[in-house]
Amino acid sequence: MDIEPHQLYAVTAGMVFCMSLAGVFLCRHFFQKIIAINMLGASIFLLLVSIGARDEDGFPDPVPHAMVITGLVVAVSASAFALGLARRIHRTTGRTGFSDTE
Amino acid sequence: MISNSSKLLSMLPIVLPLIGALLCFVIPPRWRSFIGLLFSWSTLAACFGLVWLLATRGLTEHHLGGWEAPLGIRLRIDGLAGVFLVLTGMVGVPVGHFAMSFFKQKQPASRGVPFFWPLWLFLWASLNGIFLSADLFNLYVLLEIMGLAAVSLAILSGKAAALLAGLRYFFAALVGSMLYLMGVVLAYGSAGTLDLGLLGASLPAESITVRIAFALMMAGLLIKTALFPLHFWLPEAHSSAEAPVSAILSALVVKASFYLILRLWVEVFDGSVTFAAAQALGALGGVAAVWGSYQALRQTQLKRMVAHSTVGQIGYLFLIFPLITLSPGWEGEAPWLTSAWTAGIYQALAHGFAKSAMFLAVGIFVLAVGSDDKSSVLNMVGRLPMTTFAFALAGTSLIGLPPSGGFVAKWMLLKATFSSGQWWWAPLIVWGSFLTAGYVFMILRLSFAPSEAAPVKALNPVPKTLEVTALALGIGAILIGFRAEEVMSLLEIASPFAESVQPVTEEGGHD
């Protein structure tokens, strides 16, 4: 069976997306959740780039690349904010997760 | 015919709050309220100007930077966008006045208070952008801005409860955005364009990719709109925020994602809509209406009660989806369609005014007595009559008693339910109203208690501005019920709903 590269990337992106989505809800520590959200973003970007490279003979489609760059900036800002907020929560309450009982 | 002035006007609702936010960041804190209110009023004027333009000249479109479709980002003002723009402005201005007075009054002031105005104006810019933009990825960016600004506002007080609730809200918002973005990517992969209008025309309706894209985008937006059972983040986030922020979050922010759901359902994915999906959404909405109102009845703290009430009222919004999707094999006219979608828009409008009035009134009670417990309301009808009246007016609209805006919404919803033969939604609507009446009248009964029962004798001073703005919003919730015809004729301008009536096929979509 002849699998083209962009199909392989698409399947990988789908699997990582599902695993990260489970991770956001099932992981306990704030940092684990933040990493899971970043992995969600990474899977979406992988899918975008593979969509851009579907036409093997021609030039890649630049619109998905623009979307990836914008998405990266948004993901970085959101991660920075989430990390800052998690640190503030730890400093104020000593908790590292929502269901902390310590 | 798009003139230069109308192009400028179509950008003002987004650009004015942005400039105001940037200015408010750099000027000293004691000027921020004044500049913020200046920009609030001018944004409201721009929104009214845009709606006037819409009423006189019809649908207006503006391609940003001169880039045409399919590459460019399009701003589009039709009736639906105009109505939501005006709602945001008319709620935002009184809440702004309330905030100016409230933060001066509330001592000790928390560290985050100087950031209220920049954050609120950024949030307002993103809301207006969501209403106006017609490009899927642009909408994603605006949704993220909205999420960041909203969460930052929610944690303004810096208290531990607010921080935890804010982080939970942020995670929910981010997961929602990621689901939405995955849907956008799949839609782009299928159609090659991001423009809403072009997608609606060219999406291959039968493909499984498009259905998955639709499902993902809906899931993401449903988390943001807090439909049962995805509402887990809302009660704590909205109740632990400061009073004006709670009003903004409940009245406006959840409406933006609902607006997008409407757009997607009717404009973009109307080829993939199935009857079963519509009934499922309606069922979740009905359960939310009952569950949220029941939880509100059980609360002992005022702000939590109002936050659970939001969960309930949002349920009503989703009851319109089974009513605007015709069952397979339907033949002939469907005269209830206009009632159904007007009911949905009216519920959004009336809830915007009523919930903001209720949160502001409750904020005044908490400020006056110093406690969030239900007993703070005892004997309030004698000591803060204007605020109690504002609460009562808001409650009237939430229950759906005439002559309020909420009554128009629920009446039309019931009419559409019976005309379309889907009678099974009616018990849920009525039951939700009964439970809402339960907690509204419970608070009002407490407020009529004699002065001997009051927990504290001396109230903290409450500036008149706070009471007047809460009352203004409460009166707005009632007045909306009187001018239904104007709102409906505005909605019909280039409305995405005013299309041919077509039933959904067995596999989904229209013929």
Side-chain angles (χ1 to χ4, degrees):
Chain A
M1 198 169 87
D2 198 19
I3 304 179
E4 300 179 38
H6 74 263
Q7 288 176 330
L8 187 59
Y9 293 144
V11 170
T12 312
M15 290 195 325
V16 173
F17 188 84
C18 295
M19 290 194 289
S20 315
L21 195 57
V24 176
F25 289 108
L26 297 177
C27 288
R28 196 198 55 82
H29 197 289
F30 288 144
F31 287 176
Q32 289 173 329
K33 290 181 190 272
I34 295 172
I35 291 175
I37 290 177
N38 276 307
M39 293 304 297
L40 277 176
S43 66
I44 295 175
F45 302 150
L46 178 60
L47 185 57
L48 266 173
V49 172
S50 70
I51 284 177
R54 265 191 302 200
D55 183 11
E56 279 177 14
D57 302 326
F59 290 106
D61 185 356
V63 174
H65 298 180
M67 288 165 67
V68 168
I69 295 174
T70 312
L72 277 171
V73 171
V74 173
V76 165
S77 322
S79 300
F81 182 64
L83 285 168
L85 188 48
R87 279 192 60 185
R88 172 65 67 92
I89 288 177
H90 181 68
R91 245 187 298 153
T92 321
T93 63
R95 299 170 96 174
T96 56
F98 288 119
S99 50
D100 237 45
T101 45
E102 294 158 51
Chain B
M1 209 5 223
I2 318 282
S3 71
N4 281 331
S5 61
S6 69
K7 281 187 201 163
L8 178 68
L9 198 54
S10 60
M11 289 196 297
L12 279 184
I14 307 174
V15 167
L16 275 178
L18 265 181
I19 297 178
L22 292 170
L23 264 181
C24 282
F25 238 135
V26 294
I27 60 181
R30 59 202 168 87
W31 292 106
R32 289 183 188 180
S33 287
F34 176 68
I35 298 292
L37 283 173
L38 188 67
F39 276 91
S40 299
W41 279 102
S42 34
T43 310
L44 180 62
C47 295
F48 273 128
L50 208 50
V51 165
W52 175 81
L53 193 71
L54 177 69
T56 51
R57 275 192 249 177
L59 172 72
T60 309
E61 283 184 351
H62 173 47
H63 293 98
L64 288 179
W67 290 81
E68 299 278 331
L71 274 181
I73 296 175
R74 183 170 59 107
L75 292 182
R76 155 273 290 121
I77 304 98
D78 59 5
L80 185 61
V83 164
F84 274 90
L85 276 179
V86 170
L87 167 71
T88 312
M90 291 189 74
V91 170
V93 167
V95 171
H97 281 279
F98 183 96
M100 176 175 80
S101 224
F102 183 80
F103 288 125
K104 256 194 280 194
Q105 192 64 28
K106 195 173 175 195
Q107 296 299 338
S110 47
R111 274 182 54 201
V113 166
F115 294 104
F116 172 80
W117 278 104
L119 287 170
W120 158 227
L121 289 174
F122 272 129
L123 179 59
W124 196 348
S126 70
L127 289 174
N128 285 350
I130 289 174
F131 299 139
L132 291 176
S133 176
D135 178 278
L136 273 187
F137 191 71
N138 193 218
L139 286 169
Y140 163 70
V141 174
L142 290 166
L143 279 174
E144 289 281 25
I145 299 176
M146 181 181 90
L148 278 167
V151 173
S152 311
L153 279 172
I155 63 172
L156 218 52
S157 64
K159 299 207 196 86
L163 290 177
L164 276 166
L167 189 56
R168 187 181 276 117
Y169 178 14
F170 194 45
F171 283 144
L174 279 177
V175 168
S177 298
M178 289 299 165
L179 287 167
Y180 175 85
L181 184 59
M182 187 54 119
V184 168
V185 170
L186 291 174
Y188 178 77
S190 295
T193 176
L194 292 167
D195 185 85
L196 286 185
L198 287 179
L199 274 173
S202 65
L203 267 181
E206 302 304 318
S207 104
I208 188 118
T209 313
V210 171
R211 279 166 202 258
I212 294 181
F214 185 32
L216 285 170
M217 291 173 86
M218 287 295 287
L221 291 171
L222 284 177
I223 294 184
K224 287 178 177 290
T225 321
L227 177 67
F228 180 94
L230 300 168
H231 66 290
F232 57 90
W233 55 269
L234 193 146
E236 282 156 34
H238 286 203
S239 59
S240 53
E242 302 274 16
V245 173
S246 302
I248 293 167
L249 289 177
S250 266
L252 301 175
V253 173
V254 293
K255 303 295 171 3
S257 36
F258 171 70
Y259 171 91
L260 278 182
I261 292 177
L262 266 183
R263 285 272 181 211
L264 291 179
W265 191 274
V266 174
E267 259 185 56
V268 179
F269 287 106
D270 61 333
S272 317
V273 165
T274 61
F275 186 68
Q279 292 289 316
L281 262 189
L284 287 177
V287 172
V290 173
W291 177 252
S293 307
Y294 166 66
Q295 289 287 53
L297 197 51
R298 286 186 58 211
Q299 299 300 319
T300 52
Q301 291 183 307
L302 288 172
K303 293 192 74 166
R304 289 188 142 254
M305 186 191 80
V306 185
H308 278 280
S309 152
T310 300
V311 174
Q313 295 293 314
I314 284 169
Y316 285 105
L317 290 173
F318 287 93
L319 278 168
I320 67 168
F321 284 103
L323 300 171
I324 60 178
T325 313
L326 297 173
S327 57
W330 183 269
E331 282 164 9
E333 297 273 309
W336 65 86
L337 286 179
T338 317
S339 287
W341 61 259
T342 313
I345 310 303
Y346 244 87
Q347 169 69 12
L349 289 181
H351 181 247
F353 281 104
K355 192 44 60 71
S356 53
M358 196 176 262
F359 260 121
L360 295 187
V362 164
I364 294 174
F365 289 144
V366 173
L367 178 69
V369 179
S371 149
D372 193 24
D373 191 75
K374 258 193 325 190
S375 60
S376 304
V377 191
L378 286 167
N379 192 230
M380 273 306 172
V381 90
R383 297 188 287 170
L384 286 175
M386 222 194 281
T387 313
T388 319
F389 189 45
F391 185 93
L393 287 178
T396 312
S397 178
L398 287 182
I399 300 171
L401 294 173
S404 60
F407 164 71
V408 172
K410 293 179 177 79
W411 181 252
M412 291 177 113
L413 196 57
L414 278 172
K415 250 178 47 175
T417 311
F418 286 119
S419 325
S420 64
Q422 298 184 31
W423 54 268
W424 49 89
W425 305 122
L428 292 169
I429 298 172
V430 175
W431 197 3
S433 275
F434 274 135
L435 291 169
T436 312
Y439 61 80
V440 170
F441 287 129
M442 171 176 70
I443 298 296
L444 287 177
R445 178 183 64 84
L446 287 174
S447 75
F448 275 90
S451 54
E452 297 80 48
V456 285
K457 293 303 162 200
L459 294 180
N460 296 327
V462 171
K464 265 288 173 268
T465 315
L466 300 186
E467 295 192 88
V468 168
T469 49
L471 185 61
L473 284 169
I475 292 178
I478 305 294
L479 282 184
I480 273 221
F482 285 107
R483 308 272 13 132
E485 276 191 23
E486 274 83 353
V487 175
M488 281 173 67
S489 59
L490 181 63
L491 276 174
E492 255 150 49
I493 303 176
S495 158
F497 304 96
E499 276 152 20
S500 54
V501 172
Q502 281 177 324
V504 188
T505 62
E506 288 289 327
E507 307 85 41
H510 304 284
D511 283 318

